[in-house]
Amino acid sequence: MRRRSSAPVRSAGKSATKRGRIASGSAHGDWVTLGRDGRLTLYAPTEDGLLRWTETTVGGPGWSGPHFVPVTGLTALTVVQGANAYVHFFGRRERAGVDGAPHVDIVHAIQYQTGLAITDWRSLGGPHRDRGQGREVGPPVGAVAADGTVYVFVRDARGGLALRREAPGGAWRAWEDLGGGGMDAPPAPIALAGGRLEVCAAAETGVLVWRQQEPGGEFTGPRGFALRPVPGTVAALETGPDRATFFWTDADSGGAAAWRDGDWPTELGGSSAGRPYACVRAVVDGYDCVVLAYRNADGSAVLGTGGTENEADGFWWYALAEPCQGAPALARDGLGRVVTALIAPDGVPRVARQEDSAGLTLTRWQALSG
């Protein structure tokens, strides 16, 4: 894989934020999204809100932004996109109550079209009535079913899984206790093209999996598996019709692993990741491939690729030698090219794209400054 040195690119348009405002790290989930108009948008948390950069044309390289969206008290941000291209934001918000004690709730907002305003943030409350337990709730993660139904999951105060989801008509159902225990990191939900959802989480006893038996149905599980992922590294990708592959760092080998229900994990090699892997399917040299990205122990981004559901045939890793905060992101742009994004230590996002050449060759890094 050829790599080029980092170089800044001037963002098009005027900044809609305070001069000098920078990202405070990376968001959770798919924080680079592709709109129905073919333009990419990149989101990142910042002090008291989030920042948004948007491509000015399909395929870039120009970007507008950053645009600042205020959210007071936001302690975690997750970005999720549905098949209808709506972008959903889930946050864990912590504010002082009337008695001065901290109060935690889960908040939600939506962006319906590329570059347009984000809706007001709506509180979804939390799974516990007791404020003390409420403060122990983990960061939210989400998924959007094929029919547009929105789901948000959190680790509750007992280390189990709690769910809140939309009801028909757009109202929200009450919080549901899905059981489980021993989790200390966010789970990995996935919305499959057939309409069902699955959730995978690392726990003290191994791996826990919840499944919908039919679209919109109740969740069964958790079903436990005697596997050893590193908590906080689990990610999910649909790799076959209504079939998910889960990726994580194996606690024994220290490298990446891929697992599908009914089989043993396949070791992929590489070094240890501390956050969930970014993952996307893409065509590389004419083959259907899985592309993974993560931040390694020395703080640099790493990229890997291998055949979809053919992990045993080999997985190839490339050190990108670009330092980052949190986990990188992967997406495909409006021209079908793989895009890798990261938040640099200086708080400025950087992106690189797949070149039209053999292998997964990237362009030089572009810094999205204000």
Side-chain angles (χ1 to χ4, degrees), residues 15-358:
S15 171
T17 184
K18 295 180 182 179
R19 182 177 179 84
R21 187 180 289 275
I22 60 174
S24 57
S26 64
H28 192 87
D30 300 323
W31 49 271
V32 177
T33 63
L34 179 66
R36 282 178 291 185
D37 63 355
R39 290 187 294 156
L40 292 174
T41 305
L42 184 152
Y43 308 90
T46 189
E47 182 181 359
D48 288 329
L50 67 89
L51 298 173
R52 180 183 75 187
W53 288 261
T54 306
E55 280 187 322
T56 55
T57 58
V58 175
W63 295 73
S64 64
H67 173 76
F68 173 61
V69 180
V71 197
T72 302
L74 196 68
T75 63
L77 174 68
T78 294
V79 184
V80 180
Q81 187 175 31
N84 56 12
Y86 296 171
V87 180
H88 296 263
F89 306 91
F90 295 105
R92 182 186 183 277
R93 181 173 63 179
E94 186 169 327
R95 299 178 296 173
V98 293
D99 58 356
H103 172 71
V104 170
D105 65 345
I106 303 301
V107 292
H108 171 238
I110 309 172
Q111 179 180 290
Y112 291 105
Q113 285 185 258
T114 304
L116 295 188
I118 294 173
T119 66
D120 291 338
W121 293 78
R122 175 180 179 177
S123 176
L124 301 179
H128 302 291
R129 292 185 178 181
D130 180 82
R131 283 194 176 186
Q133 289 183 318
R135 289 193 291 271
E136 297 179 31
V137 167
V141 293
V144 183
D147 66 357
T149 302
V150 183
Y151 295 72
V152 59
F153 302 87
V154 297
R155 175 191 51 76
D156 65 24
R158 296 179 291 272
L161 186 65
L163 159 68
R164 195 166 188 194
R165 54 174 142 175
E166 283 186 319
W172 285 82
R173 293 170 52 170
W175 283 93
E176 304 171 44
D177 181 359
L178 298 187
M183 296 191 307
D184 63 359
I190 182 170
L192 300 169
R196 297 187 309 107
L197 265 66
E198 297 187 3
V199 185
C200 181
E204 294 173 354
T205 55
V207 167
L208 300 178
V209 176
W210 292 259
R211 290 189 175 90
Q212 283 180 317
Q213 297 303 303
E214 59 184 9
E218 302 307 312
F219 284 82
T220 62
R223 185 181 175 193
F225 298 86
L227 304 172
R228 286 177 45 79
V230 173
T233 65
V234 182
L237 181 68
E238 185 167 11
T239 54
D242 208 39
R243 185 168 59 251
T245 297
F246 298 100
F247 300 92
W248 58 62
T249 296
D250 181 78
D252 294 322
S253 70
W259 175 73
R260 286 178 290 278
D261 188 10
D263 205 347
W264 291 101
T266 300
E267 294 189 6
L268 307 182
S271 53
S272 180
R275 297 285 186 92
Y277 290 82
C279 44
V280 71
R281 285 174 68 177
V283 175
V284 179
D285 293 340
Y287 293 96
D288 179 3
C289 291
V290 167
V291 182
L292 300 179
Y294 67 93
R295 179 181 184 269
N296 66 13
D298 71 5
S300 297
V302 178
L303 195 68
T305 184
T308 300
E309 296 197 350
N310 286 313
E311 300 91 356
D313 289 343
F315 217 85
W316 290 266
W317 297 99
Y318 312 92
L320 300 182
E322 192 74 14
C324 60
Q325 301 184 57
L330 290 171
R332 287 184 299 173
D333 67 13
L335 303 179
R337 299 174 298 183
V338 174
V339 175
T340 306
L342 54 82
I343 306 299
D346 61 5
V348 175
R350 286 167 166 77
V351 298
R353 301 175 194 262
Q354 180 182 9
E355 288 191 323
D356 186 15
S357 58

